[in-house]
C-alpha cells in the first residue's frame, strides 16, 4: 500500500533533480530571511550561488539544537507570526525546549508524510487507529491524528495513560492499529495480561512504535505478545514531528521521505559526510518547510543509510533503526555504547522481563554500570544461588557482545518505573567533580 506513488517510487535521477531545485530554494530563502544563516554562511565562506549540485551541500555549515535554543522560542521562524497556526515543542528535559511552528503549508506537509507513514505500515481507511501517543505540545499525538484523518481512518485520540482504560477501549472499540512508544506498548500488554485480556485475540494487527530507541530483539518481544506486526516510526519536533521516516512491513529499515527531508550521514567527530552503509550521525535539511527551515540540522541520532531499492516498491532511501542519540551514548572505561545495545542482549534472556534500566555510578574514580532488569514472575523467588547464576550469565553475554564488564542485578517484577511515553533508561548517579 503506497499513499503517494509519484513521490515514494520516483526514479533516483528525477528525485535528485527535485531535491536540488528545492534545496536551492531553501538555501536562498534562509540566507535572505534569517541573519543567523547569513552570518554562518559568510563565516564559512559560502553563499547560495555555490550550491550547484547536491554534494555541494557538504560545504555548508551545520545547525545544532543549541543554535535553535538561542532563538527560543520563535526566533528561527522564516514567516511572519500571523502565518503560524500551531506550535509544538520537545519535552526539553535539559534546558529550554526546542519549538516548532507550523504554517498552513507545514500542516499540509505533516498530514501528507503521516498519511504515507500510516499506509507504509499497512494502515488504511478501513482501520481503527488507537492513538496512545501523548496529545499536547509533544508531536506524537497530533501527528498521527493528522495522518489518520488524511487517509480517512477512524481515529481514537486516547492519548497516553490510564492503561486499564486503554485495554478496555481496544477491546470494545475494536482497535486495529496501535500507535505509542514501544515501551508503553509493552506496559499495555502487561496490564492486559493482569486484567485477563488476551491482546492476541483482539482485532489489533499492527503497532507503529517510535519516539525512542528500541532494538530488533525488542520487536521480537513485542510482536508475539500483542499478536501484531511492530514497525518503527521516526521523527523529531524540529523537523516536523513523527513522519520523517517510516518502516514498511518488510522491516528492513525506515523509508525517509526524501522529497521533503534531505538526509546525510556524517562522522559526528569530524563532520565529514560518510558513504552509504556507514554508521554516523543523521543530518537533515528540510526541503519544503515554511516556518522552521533547517539546513544541515544535527539530529544527534546514530544510524546508517541505504539507497538500495526495497521489496515494497518504494525507491526512497532507508535508514537503519536508530541506535541512540549522541548525547545518550555511555562512555564506560573507554568503551562507547548505547542503551539499545544492552537492550538487544537482555531481550534474548528467557528469565527476564523486558523492563530494565542502566544505573551509572562512580566508584573509586571509575565509572561502573549496573544493569537492573526485572526477573520473570516466579523466578525472582527462586533460591539466591539460582538468581546469582542468571545474573552472571547475563553479565557474560553482555561482555561477550559489547566487550564491557557490567554489574547485573535482577529485581522483582514491576520494580522498574513504567512510562506512558518515552522510557527513562539511564539513571546517572555519578557525582562529577
Ligand atoms: O519523538 C517525534 C515522534 C513522535 C517520533 C512519535 C515518532 C513517534 P521529539 O520528542 O522531539 O520528537 O524527540 C525526537 O526522539 O531525535 C530521537 O532521538 C528520538 N526518536 C524519535 N523516534 C525514534 C525512533 C518525537 N523511531 C528524538 N527510534 C529523536 C529511535 C527515536 N529514536
Amino acid at each position: 500500500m503506497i499513499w503517494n506513488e509519484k513521490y515514494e517510487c520516483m526514479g533516483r535521477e528525477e528525485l535528485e533533480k527535485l531535491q536540488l531545485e528545492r534545496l536551492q530554494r531553501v538555501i536562498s530563502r534562509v540566507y535572505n530571511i534569517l541573519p543567523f544563516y547569513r552570518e554562518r554562511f559568510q563565516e564559512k565562506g559560502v553563499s547560495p550561488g555555490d550550491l550547484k549540485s547536491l554534494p555541494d551541500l557538504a560545504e555548508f555549515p551545520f545547525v545544532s539544537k543549541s543554535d535553535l535554543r538561542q532563538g527560543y522560542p520563535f526566533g528561527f521562524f522564516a514567516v511572519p507570526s500571523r502565518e503560524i497556526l500551531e506550535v509544538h515543542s520537545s519535552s526539553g528535559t535539559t534546558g529550554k525546549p526546542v519549538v516548532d511552528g507550523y504554517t498552513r503549508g507545514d500542516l499540509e506537509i505533516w498530514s501528507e508524510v503521516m498519511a504515507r507513514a500510516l499506509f507504509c505500515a499497512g494502515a488504511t481507511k478501513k482501520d481503527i487507529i488507537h492513538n496512545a501517543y501523548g496529545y499536547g505540545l509533544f508531536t506524537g499525538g497530533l501527528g498521527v491524528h493528522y495522518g489518520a484523518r488524511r487517509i480517512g481512518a477512524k481515529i481514537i485520540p486516547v492519548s497516553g495513560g490510564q492503561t486499564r482504560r486503554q485495554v478496555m477501549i481496544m477491546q470494545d472499540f475494536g482497535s486495529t492499529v496501535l500507535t505509542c512508544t514501544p515501551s508503553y506498548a509493552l506496559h499495555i500488554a502487561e496490564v492486559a495480561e493482569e486484567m485477563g485480556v488476551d491482546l492476541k485475540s483482539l482485532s489489533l494487527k499492527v503497532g507503529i512504535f517510535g519516539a525512542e530507541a528500541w532494538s530488533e530483539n525488542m520487536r521480537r518481544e513485542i510482536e508475539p505478545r500483542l499478536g501484531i506486526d511492530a514497525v518503527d516510526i521516526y521523527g523529531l519536533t524540529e523537523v516536523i514531528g513523527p513522519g520523517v521516516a517510516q518502516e514498511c512491513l518488510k522491516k528492513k529499515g525506515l523509508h525517509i521521505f526524501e522529497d521533503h527531508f534531505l538526509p546525510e550521514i556524517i562522522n559526528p567527530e569530524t563532520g565529514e559526510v560518510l558513504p552509504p552503509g556507514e554508521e554516523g550521525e543523521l543530518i537533515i535539511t528540510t526541503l519544503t518547510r515554511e516556518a522552521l527551515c533547517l539546513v544541515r540540522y544535527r539530529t544527534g541520532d546514530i544510524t546508517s543509510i541505504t539507497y538500495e531499492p526495497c521489496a515494497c516498491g518504494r525507491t526512497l532511501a532507508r535508514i537503519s533503526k536508530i541506535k541512540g542519540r549522541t548525547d545518550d551514548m555511555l562512555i564506560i572505561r573507554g568503551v562507547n555504547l548505547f542503551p539499545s545495545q544492552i537492550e538487544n542482549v537482555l531481550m534474548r534472556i528467557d528469565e527476564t522481563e523486558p523492563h530494565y534500566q542502566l544505573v551509572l555510578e562512580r566508584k573509586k574514580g571509575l565509572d561502573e554500570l549496573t544493569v537492573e532488569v526485572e526477573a520473570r514472575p516466579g523466578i525472582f523467588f527462586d533460591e539466591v544461588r539460582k538468581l546469582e547464576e542468571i545474573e552472571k550469565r547475563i553479565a557474560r553475554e553482555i561482555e561477550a557482545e559489547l566487550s564491557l564488564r557490567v554489574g547485573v542485578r535482577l529485581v522483582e517484577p514491576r520494580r522498574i518505573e513504567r512510562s506512558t511515553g518515552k522510557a527513562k533508561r539511564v539513571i546517572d548517579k555519578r557525582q562529577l567533580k
Side-chain angles (χ1 to χ4, degrees):
M1 297 291 290
I2 296 178
W3 175 253
N4 191 333
E5 262 195 54
K6 179 173 174 211
Y7 290 100
E8 295 178 75
C9 306
M10 217 177 219
R12 185 55 40 193
E13 218 174 293
E14 199 187 345
L15 176 63
E16 287 184 355
K17 194 164 154 263
L18 176 76
Q19 287 175 320
L20 181 60
E21 279 165 23
R22 291 182 168 177
L23 182 60
Q24 286 170 327
R25 212 178 315 143
V26 172
I27 296 269
S28 306
R29 205 160 153 253
V30 298
Y31 183 85
N32 292 325
I33 299 180
L34 298 166
F36 167 86
Y37 278 110
R38 197 175 318 130
E39 282 160 27
R40 279 289 174 91
F41 288 6
Q42 281 165 353
E43 276 166 28
K44 211 141 187 255
V46 287
S47 67
D50 294 326
L51 196 115
K52 299 201 173 64
S53 69
L54 290 174
D56 291 340
L57 184 60
E59 301 308 319
F60 284 73
F62 297 113
V63 178
S64 69
K65 195 180 280 256
S66 68
D67 291 327
L68 291 189
R69 285 205 179 108
Q70 282 172 30
Y72 176 85
F74 304 148
F76 266 86
F77 296 171
V79 296
S81 172
R82 62 176 183 278
E83 288 182 29
I84 306 282
L85 301 189
E86 187 165 322
V87 285
H88 284 275
S89 83
S90 65
S91 47
T93 37
T94 49
K96 291 273 192 204
V98 287
V99 180
D100 196 354
Y102 303 71
T103 62
R104 194 174 296 283
D106 290 330
L107 291 171
E108 184 59 34
I109 295 165
W110 202 10
S111 301
E112 159 73 19
V113 291
M114 277 308 300
R116 291 185 192 179
L118 295 175
F119 250 58
C120 191
T124 68
K125 66 177 182 192
K126 295 194 184 124
D127 280 297
I128 302 178
I129 300 180
H130 185 106
N131 186 15
Y133 283 117
Y135 278 68
L137 282 174
F138 176 58
T139 50
L142 281 163
V144 170
H145 196 97
Y146 294 147
R149 178 168 288 179
R150 177 60 53 93
I151 68 171
K154 195 182 271 70
I155 179 111
I156 308 177
V158 58
S159 200
Q162 291 186 273
T163 310
R164 293 177 80 88
R165 189 180 70 154
Q166 303 262 359
V167 175
M168 185 189 81
I169 288 175
M170 271 179 198
Q171 235 179 340
D172 297 347
F173 296 11
S175 315
T176 57
V177 177
L178 171 63
T179 53
C180 61
T181 59
S183 53
Y184 191 46
L186 272 178
H187 183 44
I188 295 177
E190 98 186 321
V191 170
E193 284 155 21
E194 277 169 16
M195 291 165 70
V197 175
D198 180 11
L199 289 182
K200 295 190 288 301
S201 68
L202 306 186
S203 316
L204 276 184
K205 61 172 197 194
V206 68
I208 308 177
F209 303 135
E212 63 185 6
W214 55 302
S215 59
E216 201 54 57
N217 284 338
M218 175 70 107
R219 182 188 339 252
R220 296 203 182 101
E221 178 77 34
I222 294 177
E223 289 188 326
R225 238 167 124 174
L226 283 86
I228 56 171
D229 279 301
V231 289
D232 200 346
I233 181 166
Y234 170 77
L236 57 168
T237 313
E238 306 86 300
V239 172
I240 201 150
V244 174
Q246 170 69 48
E247 199 171 46
C248 65
L249 290 163
K250 304 288 173 201
K251 302 176 191 165
K252 293 265 159 60
L254 293 81
H255 291 282
I256 176 154
F257 300 123
E258 286 177 273
D259 50 325
H260 294 286
F261 313 113
L262 183 70
E264 296 168 274
I265 304 289
I266 62 156
N267 174 330
E269 263 123 57
T270 61
E272 165 210 9
V273 177
L274 297 174
E278 281 192 34
E279 194 170 84
E281 179 178 349
L282 176 66
I283 303 297
I284 295 179
T285 299
T286 58
L287 296 177
T288 49
R289 287 292 313 272
E290 294 175 341
L292 188 58
C293 302
L294 299 175
V295 173
R296 303 198 89 200
Y297 183 66
R298 296 192 67 149
T299 65
D301 293 317
I302 301 297
T303 182
S304 63
I305 197 163
T306 173
Y307 292 89
E308 296 286 313
C310 177
C312 75
R314 288 176 184 78
T315 51
L316 297 167
R318 279 167 293 153
I319 52 171
S320 60
K321 268 176 114 33
I322 306 279
K323 203 167 174 188
R325 299 182 50 75
T326 41
D327 344 335
D328 294 340
M329 187 176 77
L330 306 169
I331 306 178
I332 299 165
R333 300 190 301 273
V335 178
N336 298 355
L337 89 165
F338 289 98
S340 67
Q341 293 174 280
I342 294 199
E343 174 183 294
N344 212 32
V345 178
L346 291 177
M347 296 298 138
R348 295 199 302 250
I349 313 282
D350 289 336
E351 295 91 340
T352 58
E353 288 286 319
H355 301 283
Y356 68 96
Q357 65 191 19
L358 310 178
V359 182
L360 265 175
E361 283 164 300
R362 178 158 292 172
K363 288 184 187 155
K364 294 189 188 143
L366 283 181
D367 285 344
E368 290 199 0
L369 179 66
T370 306
V371 177
E372 291 187 345
V373 57
E374 288 182 10
R376 288 245 187 258
I379 301 258
F380 189 71
F381 300 102
D382 272 347
E383 331 160 19
V384 174
R385 197 176 45 86
K386 210 166 152 204
L387 293 184
E388 282 173 358
E389 264 167 28
I390 300 171
E391 289 173 343
K392 278 192 196 139
R393 177 153 49 82
I394 299 175
R396 273 200 307 275
E397 294 218 9
I398 292 175
E399 188 173 0
E401 188 141 329
L402 304 170
S403 310
L404 179 73
R405 204 169 290 174
V406 297
V408 174
R409 194 178 305 133
L410 283 177
V411 298
E412 65 194 290
R414 289 299 202 127
R415 244 292 281 290
I416 310 264
E417 197 187 332
R418 303 294 188 259
S419 149
T420 60
K422 298 180 192 250
K424 185 167 173 52
R425 300 296 191 197
V426 179
I427 313 287
D428 194 345
K429 293 185 173 167
R430 288 172 302 181
Q431 281 150 1
L432 296 171
K433 282 180 193 148

